[in-house]
């Protein structure tokens, strides 16, 4: 049964208020728990809004990460460009809004280092992403600068496999699983609220753990 428009509007207002409260409580220096590498699930659990059989692999040789918005250097990035950047690894828990979780080991470029390298305006409000599987997403700048936020290119020490976001996906320790887009193709720094795939369907935007 479809809810009346007034009820939908009230629910959206409550969701926005929850987002604002979570943003105020977020500590950019607080680290989420980490785990020993022996606990890494191999392979990781697949999750998307479609079945794994419908995954369309991305060609890493022709893939480019397009940049836009409040960024000084907007040249596209290749897989080799990202591989040449400083890397960080973390073993963290992936927590799904549906109630399941798993422990995964991720390696990649800290998003903060990437944003600094391309001359992004770190005072901006949002970092938004587009993906090869049409799954737009966005995060607040404080989370983008958190030390446990990576542009991940490896899982368990191996190159990220096709079903899990090759060649690059976002991986954060401080947000629910649906905020971690895979197969990223574009990154934008902006002060205009970008929303996201599930947010348009009523899910909370901040989605902090």
């Amino acid at each position: 049964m479809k809810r009346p428009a007034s009820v939908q509007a009230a629910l959206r207002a409550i969701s926005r208020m929850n987002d604002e409260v979570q943003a105020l409580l977020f500590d950019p220096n607080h680290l989420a728990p980490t785990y020993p590498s022996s606990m890494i699930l191999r392979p990781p659990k697949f999750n998307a809004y479609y079945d794994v059989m419908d995954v369309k692999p991305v060609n890493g040789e022709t893939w480019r990460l397009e940049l836009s918005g409040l960024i000084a250097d907007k040249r596209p990035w290749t897989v080799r460009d990202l591989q040449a950047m400083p890397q960080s690894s973390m073993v963290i828990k992936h927590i799904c809004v549906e109630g399941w979780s798993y422990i995964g080991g991720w390696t990649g470029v800290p998003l903060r280092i990437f944003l600094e390298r391309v001359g992004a305006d770190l005072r901006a409000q949002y970092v938004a992403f587009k993906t090869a599987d049409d799954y737009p997403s966005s995060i607040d700048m404080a989370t983008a600068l958190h030390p446990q936020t990576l542009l991940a290119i490896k899982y368990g020490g191996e190159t990220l496999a096709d079903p899990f976001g090759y060649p690059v996906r976002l991986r954060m320790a401080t947000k629910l699983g649906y905020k971690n887009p895979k197969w990223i193709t574009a990154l934008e720094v902006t002060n205009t609220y970008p929303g996201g795939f599930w947010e348009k369907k009523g899910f909370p935007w901040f989605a902090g753990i």
Side-chain angles (χ1 to χ4, degrees):
M1 181 178 179
K2 188 175 180 180
R3 296 189 183 98
S6 59
V7 174
Q8 294 279 32
L11 291 174
R12 285 195 295 269
I14 293 171
S15 181
R16 286 194 299 270
M17 183 178 68
N18 288 338
D19 286 339
E20 292 170 1
V21 170
Q22 286 194 62
L24 288 172
L25 294 176
F26 181 73
D27 182 349
N29 299 309
H30 179 74
L31 298 180
T34 57
Y35 303 85
S37 58
S38 59
M39 296 182 68
I40 295 174
L41 179 67
R42 302 172 189 270
K45 184 177 176 63
F46 176 81
N47 63 301
Y49 65 93
Y50 48 84
D51 189 84
V52 65
M53 300 301 294
D54 295 324
V55 170
K56 297 178 180 178
V58 171
N59 185 337
E61 291 300 316
T62 59
W63 172 88
R64 297 293 183 271
L65 177 62
E66 304 290 340
L67 305 181
S68 63
L70 303 174
I71 293 175
D73 183 358
K74 294 186 175 69
R75 70 177 179 88
W77 280 62
T78 67
V79 172
R80 292 179 180 83
D81 291 333
L82 287 176
Q83 291 171 340
M85 288 281 287
Q87 308 285 308
S88 179
S89 296
M90 60 185 184
V91 180
I92 57 170
K93 182 176 288 187
H94 175 107
I95 300 176
C96 181
V97 69
E98 295 175 340
W100 54 264
S101 65
Y102 73 88
I103 293 171
W106 307 91
T107 298
V109 182
L111 184 52
R112 180 182 194 121
I113 291 178
F114 181 83
L115 293 174
E116 291 173 344
R117 175 69 65 87
V118 300
D121 184 353
L122 304 185
R123 299 165 300 177
Q125 290 182 270
Y126 309 107
V127 179
F129 304 90
K130 293 182 180 178
T131 70
D133 66 336
D134 194 23
Y135 187 84
S137 189
S138 61
I139 58 175
D140 56 295
M141 182 59 76
T143 299
L145 302 180
H146 190 274
Q148 290 174 308
T149 298
L150 303 180
L151 292 175
I153 59 176
K154 291 184 177 182
Y155 181 85
E158 303 291 335
T159 299
L160 205 58
D162 284 327
F164 311 112
Y166 175 83
V168 62
R169 65 170 293 171
L170 188 65
R171 197 62 194 95
M172 300 174 286
T174 58
K175 290 193 183 295
L176 291 169
Y178 70 86
K179 296 296 293 186
N180 294 263
K182 299 181 282 291
W183 300 286
I184 295 172
T185 58
L187 181 155
E188 179 186 14
V189 175
T190 180
N191 284 315
T192 302
Y193 174 68
F197 181 90
W198 287 113
E199 289 84 344
K200 291 179 181 178
K201 301 178 184 298
F203 280 57
W205 176 77
F206 195 86
I209 297 175

